[in-house]
Amino acid sequence: MNMPSHPETPDEIRQEWHEFATDLRRAARATELAEKYEREADRPPETMRPFRERMAALHRRMAARHFASARLHRLHAMRLQRWHDAEHAGLRPVFLAAAAARLRMDDVSVALFDHDHHELLVATSGPTARAAHDIELTFGEGPARDALYSPTPLLVAAGGMARRWPHYGPAVAALGVRAVMATPLPTPIGRYGTLCGFTVDSTADPSTAAVDQIADAIALNIGLTVWEAGIPLNDADPAEPDPLTAVNLAVGMIAAQYGCSADAALSVLRAQAYAEDRTVTDLARHLVGDAAERPGTDSMSDDR
């Protein structure tokens, strides 16, 4: 397949078209195998029918996942090309912005958690998703955490946000968000990731099939290309320290200072952030930066 690429095309765009073509090939191969098992389902021996039907369904799901991933790479490549053609006017497009567009959401975020459901990594497509994540981290409630325990995608709109999340809901509504979508990411080690979407449209209602396909595609890219290949997934400034690293460092400092557990230290951090009307990540960066500038001082004291 010929991709719309030219000698002067930047490497990052070439890479996106390469991923697009690769996903199309994998989708075609999975479709061929699904059709093969479907054709052979009625062949003897009869005892093989359940196996062939399972394999056909498996390869159909794999084909759908690769087709969804191909569409994301195609959309991202086209957006990157327009950005380069406009001589880098505006913000650089990020991969997750393509997922947001496919879901008809204004912004999306992806979070990964460990076995104890402590957050390990977050990526966002824009400022609204980043602010919503900070709010969820501050209050310890919100869609990313709920989606870990939900067998189906969540969609909460308008007044339902405040009823479901008494602290998070009003705070996110203040950002202009009128509907929140969340679903677990299917990872090889279980449901330890979530995809969340945010929109100003209170009538937004993405289909379950579309959400599942995009979640599958993002999970596929997380495992195969995005972080391993260093493809920018989110809108974070690379010059800024990782917010979760700052939070973990601050939690460690508080735990050492008060001789408490990490969970208790996180509760202290959240309480102080709430009292000072700031996000957990903002306070954590302040505490870590303050400790670096004044080693040996009590970072949580009142005279900071």
Side-chain angles (χ1 to χ4, degrees):
M1 174 177 290
N2 293 323
M3 296 297 101
S5 180
H6 305 283
E8 66 275 13
T9 300
D11 289 343
E12 61 180 345
I13 299 177
R14 289 179 179 276
Q15 179 65 26
E16 287 302 307
W17 285 119
H18 172 74
E19 297 295 343
F20 168 73
T22 299
D23 273 321
L24 285 185
R25 288 195 299 271
R26 289 171 174 165
R29 176 56 178 162
T31 299
E32 289 175 2
L33 290 171
E35 292 173 347
K36 171 181 176 291
Y37 283 111
E38 288 166 352
R39 288 194 304 269
E40 296 177 351
D42 294 330
R43 293 179 56 184
E46 182 63 22
T47 55
M48 289 295 292
R49 174 188 286 273
F51 168 76
R52 289 166 178 159
E53 289 177 344
R54 286 197 303 272
M55 292 301 293
L58 171 64
H59 286 290
R60 286 291 181 192
R61 288 196 299 272
M62 291 174 63
R65 169 182 284 191
H66 284 294
F67 275 128
S69 180
R71 287 192 289 269
L72 289 182
H73 283 294
R74 178 177 180 272
L75 180 56
H76 186 41
M78 293 169 65
R79 289 184 165 199
L80 280 173
Q81 187 65 64
R82 286 196 294 269
W83 182 67
H84 279 282
D85 290 345
E87 298 183 348
H88 300 183
L91 296 176
R92 180 192 183 282
V94 295
F95 184 78
L96 280 183
R102 293 292 303 175
L103 289 169
R104 300 184 184 277
M105 290 278 151
D106 298 315
D107 252 349
V108 297
S109 65
V110 169
L112 297 184
F113 299 83
D114 64 16
H115 290 271
D116 296 320
H117 293 172
H118 295 131
E119 197 168 335
L120 297 174
L121 183 148
V122 65
T124 61
S125 66
T128 298
R130 187 167 62 250
H133 168 263
D134 281 345
I135 293 169
E136 181 164 356
L137 189 60
T138 298
F139 290 117
E141 65 175 21
R145 283 152 180 78
D146 283 8
L148 285 172
Y149 305 98
S150 177
T152 57
L154 303 174
L155 182 63
V156 186
M161 295 192 300
R163 288 192 295 272
R164 186 179 186 105
W165 305 296
H167 302 292
Y168 173 89
V172 169
L175 299 175
V177 174
R178 295 295 177 264
V180 175
M181 176 279 300
T183 190
L185 290 180
T187 67
I189 57 174
R191 291 185 172 183
Y192 297 117
T194 56
L195 166 67
C196 297
F198 310 89
T199 179
V200 298
D201 181 6
S202 61
T203 64
D205 188 18
S207 70
T208 299
V211 172
D212 287 346
Q213 286 183 358
I214 297 301
D216 271 353
I218 289 176
L220 178 69
N221 280 279
I222 288 173
L224 298 181
T225 61
V226 177
W227 280 299
E228 291 176 3
I231 299 173
L233 182 73
N234 79 71
D235 72 325
D237 183 348
E240 285 289 315
D242 176 11
L244 291 179
T245 297
V247 170
N248 288 332
L249 287 172
V251 165
M253 290 162 50
I254 296 168
Q257 180 179 329
Y258 290 106
C260 61
S261 68
D263 286 341
L266 180 57
S267 295
V268 171
L269 187 65
R270 283 175 172 156
Q272 181 157 342
Y274 182 74
E276 296 183 9
D277 193 24
R278 62 201 301 184
T279 66
V280 165
T281 52
D282 179 51
L283 177 58
R285 284 192 177 110
H286 176 85
L287 294 177
V288 171
D290 191 50
E293 292 175 4
R294 297 188 294 162
T297 61
D298 182 352
S299 297
M300 292 293 289
S301 65
D302 293 334
D303 61 348
R304 277 183 294 109

